[in-house]
Amino acid sequence: MPHATPLIATVVAGIVIAFIFGAVAQRLRMPPLVGYLLAGVVIGPFTPGYVADQPLANELAELGIILLMFGVGLHFSVRNLMEVRRVAVPGALVQILVATLLGAGLASFFGWSIGAGIVFGLALSVASTVVLLRALQERRLLDTDRGRIAVGWLIVEDLVMVLALVLIPAFASGGGDPMALLGTIALTIGKVAVFVAVMLLGGRRFVPWLLHLIAHSGSRELFRLAVLAIALGVAFGAAMLFGVSFALGAFFAGMVLAETPLSHRAAEETLPLRDAFAVLFFVSVGMLFNPSILIEHTLPVLAALAIVLVGKSIAAFGIVRAFGRDRRTALTIAASLAQIGEFSFILATFGAELDLLPRDGRDLILAAAILSILLNPLLFNLIDRFGRRSQEAAPIGGAPAMPAAGHIVLVGHGRVGARVASRLLEAGERLTLVEVEDRHEGLPEAATIVLGNAANPATLARTGLTDARMLFVSIPAGYEAGQVIEQARAINPALHIVARAHSDEEVEAMAQRGASCTFMGEAEIARRMVDEALVGIR
């Protein structure tokens, strides 16, 4: 290949193989992140065949870290954290402390240094944002009380890891002299304080002004470029001028941007590039992993995995219960945190570069991450089964436990579903409502409530769908809605099914799955606008 260069070959191999393995992982109902890591293992130096350029992959990973941290800052929400602060803040801090102590104890058993033990323990303590959000979204828990606590917990963990990324280099350069260590930490904190002051005082004024100026120009391309320039420029400037990490600079760039009215548009415009470089970051991490550790150091791998799956889960479960939350909430939080991901990789890479963490430590972290991500869906499935056993189609507000024949089934009680339910009940219809979360204050008392995920056949069976006249599917998740429609059509071939969609492709997919009619928001708004305008003219 005369025109091939190491950079092009590394990027192409990384993205193409990551796509293949990610698609296979998705097909097997595993997070695509697992596929990306395995793609890195395939093109890494520890497996036969093509080997990508490791130094170039590491530099691409740095860009991935910058954009990942920028995304974390962009989605940082003080309001969401404040809503669940009484549980999430102390809970996350105690859980991090417990996991770090367990990891440091295991590292001490291996004969590693104190610094290596701290980095190792911290890496095992923090959950993956990607994996957690995906698990909550699949089960429609993101907007529930349990989901908000889990997300708030994760925000606290991310903030602690950002602080750790600041202090670890100082700890590494301080050596064994306690006074030198304290001096280095003080100097580092001073530099960070100056950088934070510059960002909060100057950045809060300059960044919104610049984005509004570019937005009013009407150029979508220039707006996207401005957001990327802010993310990369602030990260690079923070490292060059203040001596802080790229990661911290990118995080504050995202956090400042998150306070502007254009934050949602900025997140949408940069998402494809952030995703692409995040994939390359995970591939580069996979390249560092030596699969032989699974055979040569089986017991250490299992010990590290036990800290992630058992130690963290027990700590989280106990903390949530201690704050008076119910068992299902505690189990959900425990399962949500029983995995490690992005920050763990960043800490492992960081620690290895600073000679704080031995290579075996990095491999143990990567092995624990891959295995915990693979096993995490199984933990959620166990919780789902436990929840289904404890959730019968119980009455709320005197509604009958089992629906009568000729009733209407409604899946989802969100912004659309609540309006559908209200209109059906006003019309005197017998309504059976399927919701994943028991929220007594928001669900209509005149309806029969079935708690559970409607995509699960057992939940649909409890709705009496064989005797129903009609099914409304109002949930926003297109893939899950398609599953509900397909299963409902198999249960009752004569059922009239009404669904919602967000695109023409979803409308077509719903029809193929068995929907009788599908409504798309944009199409209905356009039709209503034209109808109203024509009535006014006539």
Side-chain angles (χ1 to χ4, degrees), residues 405-473:
H407 61 291
I408 294 177
V409 178
L410 168 64
V411 175
H413 194 255
R415 290 181 299 175
V416 174
R419 288 172 169 80
V420 173
S422 178
R423 294 291 298 274
L424 290 174
L425 290 172
E426 287 175 3
E429 296 288 349
R430 295 192 303 274
L431 179 65
T432 297
L433 175 63
V434 184
E435 251 302 334
V436 73
E437 180 79 356
D438 186 357
R439 291 173 289 185
H440 292 245
E441 72 282 358
L443 301 179
E445 295 184 357
T448 299
I449 309 300
V450 173
L451 298 177
N453 192 329
N456 188 300
T459 303
L460 277 182
R462 301 208 315 269
T463 64
L465 208 58
T466 53
D467 298 320
R469 290 176 25 239
M470 195 177 300
L471 168 67
F472 285 84
V473 182

Side-chain angles (χ1 to χ4, degrees), residues 147-159:
R148 285 190 288 270
I149 292 174
V151 172
W153 197 298
L154 195 67
I155 289 172
V156 177
E157 285 191 347
D158 288 351
L159 289 176

Side-chain angles (χ1 to χ4, degrees), residues 114-318:
I114 295 176
I118 293 174
V119 173
F120 185 67
L122 284 172
L124 297 181
S125 71
V126 60
S128 165
T129 304
V130 174
V131 176
L132 184 143
L133 291 179
R134 177 182 171 82
L136 294 178
Q137 286 171 345
E138 283 183 346
R139 291 158 179 82
R140 294 171 55 218
L141 294 174
L142 203 54
D143 294 325
T144 66
D145 185 56
R146 289 180 282 162
R148 285 190 288 270
I149 292 174
V151 172
W153 197 298
L154 195 67
I155 289 172
V156 177
E157 285 191 347
D158 288 351
L159 289 176
V160 172
M161 293 308 123
V162 169
L163 180 62
L165 291 176
V166 171
L167 295 180
I168 286 174
F171 190 87
S173 61
D177 185 357
M179 294 305 296
L181 175 61
L182 290 175
T184 305
I185 290 176
L187 180 62
T188 301
I189 293 176
K191 290 180 178 178
V192 171
V194 173
F195 167 69
V196 171
V198 170
M199 288 300 298
L200 295 181
L201 296 177
R204 278 183 169 176
R205 291 189 176 94
F206 174 73
V207 170
W209 171 81
L210 177 63
L211 282 182
H212 278 88
L213 183 67
I214 299 302
H216 289 152
S217 72
S219 172
R220 183 176 180 181
E221 177 183 347
L222 200 56
F223 180 84
R224 186 184 302 123
L225 191 60
V227 176
L228 291 173
I230 290 169
L232 299 174
V234 171
F236 189 78
M240 295 299 104
L241 299 178
F242 300 96
V244 301
S245 66
F246 290 133
L248 183 66
F251 174 79
F252 268 92
M255 197 171 74
V256 169
L257 199 64
E259 296 184 3
T260 69
L262 296 168
S263 60
H264 291 293
R265 181 181 169 188
E268 291 175 2
E269 294 289 350
T270 58
L271 183 61
L273 190 64
R274 285 191 286 129
D275 282 348
F277 275 98
V279 167
L280 290 176
F281 166 67
F282 294 128
V283 170
S284 70
V285 169
M287 291 175 64
L288 300 173
F289 178 60
N290 186 354
S292 64
I293 195 173
L294 297 174
I295 300 173
E296 296 173 1
H297 301 285
T298 304
L299 291 179
V301 169
L302 292 177
L305 184 63
I307 292 175
V308 176
L309 294 182
V310 181
K312 286 174 59 179
S313 297
I314 291 176
F317 181 86

